[in-house]
Every structure is written in structure tokens, then in C-alpha cells.
Amino acid sequence: MSQKIEKPVLSGQRIKTRKRDEKEKYDPTGFRDAVISGLEKAGNDLEAISKYLDTAGSKLDYRRYGEVLFDILIAGGLLVPGGFIAQDGDKPVKTTACVFEQPEDMESMRNFEQVFLKLTRRYKYLEKMFEEEMKKVLVFMKGFTPAERIKLARMTALWISNGAVPPTVLSVLINEHLVKDNLALDFLLEVFVTWKQEKGLPSLMTALKKGGIEGRLMEFVPPNKRTDEYFRSVFENADLADIVKLHKAQASQEAKRDLQDLLLDDLADQKPIKDIVSDLKEMAQRCNIPEHDIIGLIWNVVMGQAEWNKKEELVAEQALKHLKIYTPLFGAFANTAKSELALILKVQEFCYENMNFMKVFQKIVLLFYKTDVVSEEVILRWYKDGHSVKGKMLFLDQMKKFIEWLQNAEEESESGEDDD
């Protein structure tokens, strides 16, 4: 029986690998040199720059070096940590075909923006890379000159307002070293002023809400200057008074949420009504929350405390029994006609939106009248022209007999005074 003899193998044999298995060396400086060379040949002709970038994408690996490409188009060269341009020896390697080398005027900014727009439209995969690049560049801002920051802010306003990057990129400015040195606030103001001039205030306000920036505006202010007075003066001096109003509205909403949470905690702890009133009044004064807003919050919380009966005939008795416990709480914040009317409108809205309560409206108002929470003057005003359109005819009809009784009682009272 013959045995199979192994063939000898030469030592140091080379194993041939397939080309797709070979990893290409990462070479950002080589990519940079190729792009800068092409841009320099295009000169200051923006059409030629766009044409070069369009054709270069088929030869150069934009997918791999997208971040480097945007470094060049924004700062002129390869950015290194700290916001400086990478050097060859003692000399920075830069091109003039970049945002930082454009004139500051808006026409020049808009013209150069087209370079980015055409590039990202041609190579759609660069859009996400551009967003990530912007987050990095904004953090590097301390290393840029004041003039470069202004140009970047103006271009950022154009990019965000035209949808090239989302407004959320601005949140990276809330960085300790940028906020402390006032760089974040100065940049934000320049972005806002440019945006207002280019796209109008409504567009800016919408973007702030969309990007979740509206509730964080105070965080851009240096900690040692973080007061409402300083915030107002800075934004008003930049002709951005509407931003101050937006900030106030947002702060008010947050204060109301805090007040509501406080009330929920107090009720959960079963605090006496007088203690709850004291807690609410203290916070309302501190946060400057008006009484007519507080009474609406109280209504929402109190009505949310009960599991309402699904039977219409039983819910009226349950509602009156439940509300009677809290009439002193409502009464503590019904000290003006505006607050009383706000409460009646809240009742109307609730009864309209909860079908089982449709027939309970008049009984709830009567309870508040009998416990001196709302006055006859305000009830008459509600009936005449202060009501909401929600369920208007149904609720006016419910209140008709009670209103007639109030009017007759008022006439009899006036008649008695005349007799005296």
C-alpha cells in the first residue's frame, strides 16, 4: 500500500491576497494636499471651485475623508485640536477657498454657501458628515480669530436656516470654556441677528423650538452674568427683544410645571389646605406666576386626583363632593375677577371635553358661587360675553334659570336700596 508523500514547501512563501482584503492606509494629509492643489488651480472662481469638487469626488475618497474636506472648506486646512491649522514644518498648509478667507458681507457669504449646497446635493452621504463636522468646528471656536468667528456665525445662520445642518448643532456651544469666555453667547447673537435679517424672526423662533434651544438660552450666558436683567439687556441691544419674550414664556412654562409638581407633592403628603396655599403663594411670588394661571393649574390637578364614575347620573354627586373639599384652595386664588372668570372657563372646557360632565357644569358653578369662590358679577359677565365657544349653547341654556334668578335678586336689591 503506497503512502502519500507530502510535497515540500519553500520557506518564506508569499501568500497572495485579494485586493479587496487589503486595507488602504489612512492618509488625511495626502487627501488634504490633493484637494488644496485642486482648489488653488480653481482660484477665486466659485463656479470653478464647485466644478472641481464635483469631479474630484470620483477620484478622491470623500466617504473616508469627508471631515477633512469640510475642514478645508471652512478653515482652509486640516484642523487639529484647539482649532489650529495643521502645519508642514513651520508653515500652515492652507487654501484661500474657504469660509474664513471670504469677505464678511452677506452677499459673499451667500455666494460661498452655494459651494457647500452643490457639494452636499451631489454627494448626499456628506450631509450627515457635515453635521458632525459642525459640532467639532464649533467646539474648536476658541482657536479662531474674532473675524473668523463672525464669518462662521453668519455662515452657520445660513446653513441652519436653509436646512444644511439642524439647529441642534448650536447646543454644542454650551461648553464650559466657550460659555465662560462669552464666546458662546457672542456667537449665538451673531447667528440670531444674521438669521433675523436673512429669513425673518418667525423662522428663527420656529427653529429654536424645533432644536430645543428655546429652553436653554440662559445656559449660553456666562455663569457670573446669568441674570434676567443681563439677558434682557444683551438681547435687546442686539435688536432681539422677541427672543427675550420667548425666554420669558419658556421660563414661565417651567415655573408652572414646578408649581404643579409642588401641588401634587403637597396633596400626596396630605398637607392641610392652609399649608398648601402657603407653599403655592410662596412659589408663585418667587416665580412671578399670575393668580389666574395658578387657579387653572389647581383645577387641572384637583380634577386629576379622582377616578370618575362612568355613569352620568352618579358623576355629578361625586364631582360636587370632591370639589367641596378644595373650595378653600380655589378661594385662596380667586381674588380678582380675572381669576374667577379663568376658573369658570376651566370648568366649561372640562365639562365640554368630558361627556359625563356635560350636565354638571351649572352645579359646579353654583357650588363655587355658594362657597364664595366666584361672584355673581363674574357669573353674569361669563354669561353675557365671557364664555368660550365650547359647548356654548348647552351651557348657556343650563345657566339660564340661575342667571335670571341672579338678575332678579340684583333688581330687588337695587329696589330695596331705592326704598330705603
Side-chain angles (χ1 to χ4, degrees):
M1 189 174 176
S2 62
Q3 288 184 336
K4 196 172 182 181
I5 302 169
E6 280 190 27
K7 292 180 181 179
V9 177
L10 291 172
S11 61
Q13 179 185 11
R14 295 179 68 187
I15 299 169
K16 194 172 183 181
T17 59
R18 288 176 297 182
K19 196 163 187 178
R20 69 173 184 233
D21 294 333
E22 293 176 6
K23 282 192 176 180
E24 189 183 342
K25 183 185 173 186
Y26 183 64
D27 183 20
T29 55
F31 177 86
R32 172 203 65 188
D33 294 342
V35 171
I36 287 178
S37 173
L39 291 174
E40 291 304 296
K41 287 175 185 174
N44 293 321
D45 185 343
L46 296 184
E47 281 298 323
I49 290 171
S50 286
K51 190 174 180 181
Y52 162 71
L53 291 171
D54 189 359
T55 55
S58 59
K59 302 169 190 173
L60 299 173
D61 194 349
Y62 283 179
R63 285 186 186 274
R64 196 173 192 199
Y65 299 104
E67 186 179 317
V68 179
L69 178 61
F70 287 121
D71 273 0
I72 296 165
L73 293 176
I74 292 171
L78 184 58
L79 283 171
V80 295
F84 306 106
I85 301 293
Q87 299 182 325
D88 266 1
D90 296 330
K91 188 179 177 184
V93 181
K94 284 189 70 176
T95 175
T96 57
C98 65
V99 173
F100 285 177
E101 294 296 328
Q102 301 307 304
E104 283 185 15
D105 66 278
M106 286 312 299
E107 186 178 356
S108 300
M109 292 284 109
R110 284 191 291 270
N111 290 339
F112 200 75
E113 185 207 7
Q114 291 301 307
V115 171
F116 287 84
L117 189 63
K118 290 174 183 176
L119 178 64
T120 50
R121 277 181 181 169
R122 174 69 176 83
Y123 300 98
K124 295 291 285 182
Y125 58 82
L126 287 175
E127 288 178 354
K128 186 62 183 172
M129 291 185 187
F130 187 30
E131 180 183 339
E132 294 305 312
E133 169 71 6
M134 279 302 296
K135 291 176 183 177
K136 181 195 80 176
V137 169
L138 292 180
V139 172
F140 283 171
M141 191 168 53
K142 197 170 184 178
F144 306 151
T145 67
E148 288 169 348
R149 287 181 210 132
I150 288 172
K151 292 172 187 177
L152 181 60
R154 291 178 180 176
M155 193 62 91
T156 300
L158 293 177
W159 285 330
I160 299 176
S161 64
N162 292 329
V165 288
T168 48
V169 298
L170 292 174
S171 60
V172 303
L173 293 169
I174 304 172
N175 181 298
E176 188 180 351
H177 74 278
L178 296 178
V179 172
K180 180 169 62 74
D181 296 336
N182 220 74
L183 296 177
L185 183 58
D186 286 345
F187 189 90
L188 193 74
L189 288 168
E190 189 65 46
V191 169
F192 286 0
V193 168
T194 303
W195 194 320
K196 182 181 175 183
Q197 290 170 350
E198 293 295 307
K199 297 289 183 177
L201 200 59
S203 167
L204 172 58
M205 305 291 252
T206 302
L208 291 180
K209 290 175 183 176
K210 187 178 177 183
I213 305 293
E214 59 170 342
R216 306 191 68 187
L217 292 173
M218 188 63 88
E219 294 178 52
F220 291 85
V221 180
N224 61 335
K225 299 177 181 176
R226 209 165 279 176
T227 64
D228 287 333
E229 292 76 15
Y230 180 78
F231 183 92
R232 187 184 69 251
S233 66
V234 166
F235 279 85
E236 286 181 352
N237 288 340
D239 196 24
L240 293 167
D242 283 80
I243 300 294
V244 179
K245 291 177 187 173
L246 179 68
H247 169 69
K248 276 186 178 178
Q250 183 66 25
S252 175
Q253 284 300 109
E254 288 175 11
K256 288 174 188 175
R257 280 195 291 270
D258 291 343
L259 188 82
Q260 186 168 301
D261 290 342
L262 175 65
L263 177 55
L264 284 165
D265 290 343
D266 281 0
L267 291 174
D269 294 340
Q270 297 184 331
K271 279 191 175 184
I273 296 292
K274 63 181 180 63
D275 292 345
I276 297 175
V277 170
S278 178
D279 287 348
L280 295 184
K281 285 195 171 181
E282 184 186 334
M283 180 180 276
Q285 189 174 7
R286 190 172 67 248
C287 300
N288 200 26
I289 306 172
E291 194 178 76
H292 60 270
D293 284 341
I294 299 169
I295 207 159
L297 288 170
I298 293 171
W299 171 266
N300 291 340
V301 171
V302 164
M303 295 306 281
Q305 293 293 298
E307 285 287 335
W308 299 111
N309 201 301
K310 289 183 170 56
K311 293 183 179 178
E312 189 179 330
E313 61 273 15
L314 298 176
V315 83
E317 185 183 347
Q318 184 191 3
L320 296 176
K321 188 177 178 182
H322 178 69
L323 285 168
K324 197 166 185 178
I325 300 167
Y326 298 103
T327 50
L329 181 58
F330 286 108
F333 294 93
N335 298 308
T336 64
K338 190 172 185 180
S339 302
E340 293 177 35
L341 185 59
L343 177 58
I344 298 176
L345 288 170
K346 271 288 179 184
V347 177
Q348 180 182 351
E349 183 181 296
F350 183 86
C351 292
Y352 175 76
E353 291 173 356
N354 295 272
M355 191 175 291
N356 285 351
F357 282 81
M358 284 286 200
K359 295 178 181 178
V360 190
F361 174 75
Q362 186 262 358
K363 293 176 181 177
I364 295 174
V365 175
L366 186 58
L367 170 68
F368 284 145
Y369 171 71
K370 287 179 176 178
T371 52
D372 293 326
V373 175
V374 296
S375 63
E376 63 181 82
E377 290 84 0
V378 172
I379 295 171
L380 290 168
R381 179 179 158 194
W382 171 86
Y383 188 83
K384 185 181 178 184
D385 54 20
H387 47 259
S388 162
V389 295
K390 294 180 177 180
K392 173 183 169 181
M393 297 314 295
L394 173 68
F395 298 132
L396 288 179
D397 188 55
Q398 268 186 44
M399 293 290 288
K400 190 175 180 182
K401 286 185 179 179
F402 182 52
I403 293 296
E404 287 173 357
W405 180 84
L406 285 178
Q407 288 170 336
N408 290 335
E410 192 175 2
E411 286 169 10
E412 284 174 15
S413 174
E414 287 174 1
S415 172
E417 285 175 11
D418 292 342
D419 292 342
D420 289 343

